[in-house]
Amino acid sequence: MPEQTRTLGPDLRDLGAPPTVRPLVNGYQVARWDTPSAFTGPGRQRMLTLLRDLAARSFGADHSDYWHTRVGSGFFDQISCLALILDAAGTPVGWGGYHRRRFASRRALYLDAAGVVPAHRRFGLSSALMTHFLTRELLARPWGNTYVVLRTRHPAVYSGWRKGLGRTRVHPRHGRAVPATIARIATDAAHWLGDGPRLDPRTLLVRDAYRMFEGRVYGVTPRSGHVDLDTYFAEQVGPKDAVLMVVRMSALPLVRVLLGRYLGGPSPAPTGGRPLRGAAPVGSTVQATPTGAGASGLIPGGRP
């Protein structure tokens, strides 16, 4: 049995597709599945249980119906990459994933659900996981741009990407028109998500994006610490609205991010995911950030 498999807990073995296990940050590891569609029936049930329980611990609410609906809608067959964050004992403490897509004929990654349980926040796990995803994808295709797409109504998510990559790569930009290419990518992504008619391509705001969830998306008003950004989200992004972010990435800015992490400097705090019922835990920022959900089955690209 390979060493990386022996270190996994029993719930992560014999799923039908062995993970790739790599160091992540601060003694944590990432277990990554590049073909989640290969999970066996029992393996899918075990992974469903893990994701459901991690989400409940991360968001302080029972999301069993949400995850059962997602899996029933083909989640494991549609997602391109699924990963768990493991602590030093090999126990899952967070998760994330993405869909490899083409929007408006451009290579893109749509960030799926992500979260970290409260006891393991403040260690840079969400940022490290997203950097791991981007490193894998961008270095495999270093020439040209890859567009990262996600939905959020949390200003700290936007602020984290902008801080890590620079203002010119993150859209929408306050006070600037949305470039035509970015608008086409956003429009294509919104149709895939089931939100086409609700997207304003001039602002990249999606009205009533989280309409399928009861109650508030956050128990407390999310903030980034930047007055202008927090004011914009508070005044322009309604309680169930979202900003459809489009981030232009390539190998060069990724190298700068990796160098910044190595030297201990700032790195982006990206995250992806979907809105979940219940209040976000007090003190959470990007680790508990809903950023997207398909309107027609709680999975991007789903159809009624």
Side-chain angles (χ1 to χ4, degrees):
M1 183 182 299
E3 178 63 29
Q4 67 177 23
T5 304
R6 284 202 298 268
T7 62
L8 297 175
D11 287 341
L12 300 183
R13 299 177 190 167
D14 302 323
L15 298 177
T20 299
V21 182
R22 294 286 184 268
L24 189 61
V25 68
N26 295 322
Y28 291 85
Q29 292 183 306
V30 56
R32 190 189 73 232
W33 285 268
D34 298 327
T35 54
S37 60
F39 289 159
T40 62
R44 293 182 180 212
Q45 185 59 45
R46 288 204 302 275
M47 184 59 74
L48 167 61
T49 300
L50 279 170
L51 293 172
R52 181 199 65 197
D53 292 348
L54 282 170
R57 293 165 60 198
S58 297
F59 293 88
D62 182 6
H63 304 118
S64 299
D65 291 345
Y66 168 84
W67 282 103
H68 280 289
T69 300
R70 292 204 67 194
V71 171
S73 298
F75 172 70
F76 292 123
D77 295 319
Q78 296 189 33
I79 193 166
S80 302
C81 178
L82 180 65
L84 295 177
I85 300 171
L86 310 178
D87 67 10
T91 302
V93 298
W95 84 99
Y98 60 86
H99 299 256
R100 195 179 295 113
R101 300 288 304 177
R102 293 192 74 86
F103 295 132
S105 300
R106 301 307 201 277
R107 186 170 65 245
L109 301 179
Y110 181 82
L111 297 185
D112 199 89
V116 174
V117 302
H120 294 269
R121 293 178 186 157
R122 309 301 181 187
F123 294 104
L125 298 180
S126 291
S127 176
L129 181 61
M130 295 305 142
T131 302
H132 175 83
F133 288 158
L134 292 174
T135 300
R136 176 172 177 263
E137 290 294 323
L138 269 65
L139 295 187
R141 302 169 181 83
W143 310 116
N145 293 316
T146 295
Y147 293 86
V148 179
V149 183
L150 63 151
R151 296 195 308 182
T152 187
R153 65 174 319 277
H154 202 312
V157 175
Y158 183 95
S159 175
W161 282 95
R162 187 175 67 178
K163 180 180 179 180
L165 299 174
R167 295 173 181 266
T168 61
R169 291 184 174 273
V170 180
H171 301 276
R173 296 174 61 193
H174 182 61
R176 299 291 186 94
V178 174
T181 297
I182 299 298
R184 288 194 294 270
I185 292 170
T187 298
D188 201 0
H191 280 289
W192 178 67
L193 287 162
D195 280 333
R198 297 175 178 83
L199 172 73
D200 184 343
R202 298 168 302 175
T203 62
L204 304 192
L205 283 177
V206 182
R207 297 301 181 187
D208 208 22
Y210 302 145
R211 59 199 174 277
M212 71 290 295
F213 295 93
E214 299 175 0
R216 298 175 62 186
V217 175
Y218 292 103
V220 295
T221 301
R223 300 190 184 281
S224 68
H226 298 276
V227 175
D228 57 339
L229 193 57
D230 291 341
T231 299
Y232 172 79
F233 272 76
E235 294 180 352
Q236 302 298 324
V237 185
K240 295 293 180 69
D241 298 344
V243 176
L244 183 60
M245 290 177 54
V246 180
V247 181
R248 180 171 54 87
M249 283 292 299
S250 62
L252 181 58
L254 176 64
V255 169
R256 288 199 295 264
V257 169
L258 295 173
L259 183 61
R261 292 181 66 88
Y262 177 77
L263 297 176
S267 61
T271 186
R274 307 167 183 273
L276 302 173
R277 295 184 181 89
V282 174
S284 66
T285 54
V286 296
Q287 291 90 345
T289 304
T291 61
S296 59
L298 310 184
I299 183 165
R303 294 291 180 263

